[in-house]
Amino acid sequence: MAGLEELDAELTVLGELLGPAEDDALVSECHAELGALAPRLSGLRAQVPPLHDEREAIVVVGSDAQEAESWAEELACRYAGRAERGGRSVRVYTRGHSWFGPRATVMRIGGAGAFGWLAAEAGVHRCDRAADRPVLEAWVEVLPMAVSYDFVRIPDEEVRVEDFPETWGCGARLPDWNRSVRLTHLPTGLVAFCQGQGSTTRNRAGAMTLLQALLLRLRHAADDPPEENRTQGSQAGNETGEGMKRRLESDQT
């Protein structure tokens, strides 16, 4: 950011002048210059994007009722379609598999700004298609991707790794080098599952990406007060399975 570099250079010059300055007039002039820089600093802060808005996103779409499963799948397809039409990459880590949660689809949406684009979608989505049929409900969670400077470190001894055979649609098993992977973070109990990436190694990498995003959300939930979490629209990024179900039930009561 050019404005930030110019501001830093001016502050450096003023600091060098103030250090050995003994002339009261010079000191007063430097303080006046510092006061004049304050509005410019506020303007630069306004240009900084909200937290994580520039990152890629993990989107989780699921339902806690079997009759709403088709609505959750349709919602996930809508997000994937919108992303692809916008030139973003879409990678499905798991679709409707119970290892992550009840009937959940997990996708990675690529491209800069994906999280900011989708963050407002987090929450419960309802579908009322007919007056004589129950309202269908699906929940959506949007997680920012963890990056290197988040320092989300996961030692090998803190993770339990399990792999499972994958099958074709007809039920035939895929080769042993292409197995689904489930990672369990032992200190927190968080679970990440990935399948369908073409090999066990890629499935493990996808599960690790998801686990890091969950741990990052858990860290932010611990740092923020509950009131702030609620205003952000979603506080379940660190929950899986039954945890999400309990949250949804409490929202309905």
Side-chain angles (χ1 to χ4, degrees), residues 32-175:
E33 290 291 334
L34 286 172
L37 293 178
R40 292 173 55 189
L41 180 59
S42 299
L44 287 175
R45 287 174 177 170
Q47 298 176 28
V48 177
L51 186 64
H52 304 327
D53 272 13
E54 77 286 356
R55 298 190 183 184
E56 297 183 358
I58 300 289
V59 180
V60 186
V61 185
S63 64
D64 293 301
Q66 186 172 3
E67 59 269 17
E69 184 176 0
S70 60
W71 166 232
E73 292 178 354
E74 179 181 338
L75 201 57
C77 289
R78 288 184 183 181
Y79 291 134
R82 286 170 54 191
E84 289 175 341
R85 287 192 296 273
R88 299 181 182 275
S89 62
V90 177
R91 186 176 299 173
V92 180
Y93 283 162
T94 178
R95 188 184 299 277
H97 202 288
S98 60
W99 292 120
F100 182 86
R103 290 170 286 278
T105 297
V106 183
M107 302 178 292
R108 173 178 174 175
I109 308 298
F115 178 73
W117 173 54
L118 290 165
E121 298 293 328
V124 178
H125 293 248
R126 295 176 174 86
C127 177
D128 187 7
R129 290 177 173 168
D132 58 340
R133 299 181 64 182
V135 176
L136 304 179
E137 293 186 339
W139 43 260
V140 177
E141 295 298 333
V142 184
L143 306 160
M145 287 276 295
V147 295
S148 59
Y149 52 81
D150 287 321
F151 300 105
V152 180
R153 301 288 184 257
I154 307 177
D156 292 341
E157 60 270 16
E158 293 185 358
V159 179
R160 181 170 66 244
V161 182
E162 302 167 276
D163 57 71
F164 307 90
E166 289 196 22
T167 60
W168 296 100
C170 61
R173 286 183 54 173
L174 292 175

Side-chain angles (χ1 to χ4, degrees), residues 193-253:
F193 184 86
C194 185
Q195 61 180 355
Q197 304 305 302
S199 70
T200 304
T201 301
R202 291 178 180 175
N203 287 334
R204 178 167 179 168
M208 182 59 70
T209 297
L210 175 57
L211 184 57
Q212 288 175 328
L214 290 169
L215 287 171
L216 180 64
R217 184 65 185 91
L218 180 61
R219 178 195 296 174
H220 291 160
D223 291 341
D224 295 337
E227 292 78 11
E228 185 173 348
N229 287 346
R230 285 195 293 269
T231 61
Q232 290 176 351
S234 171
Q235 56 184 3
N238 61 307
E239 299 174 334
T240 60
E242 292 301 317
M244 288 183 175
K245 184 174 182 179
R246 288 193 298 270
R247 180 184 62 81
L248 181 61
E249 292 172 347
S250 65
D251 289 344
Q252 294 172 338
T253 56

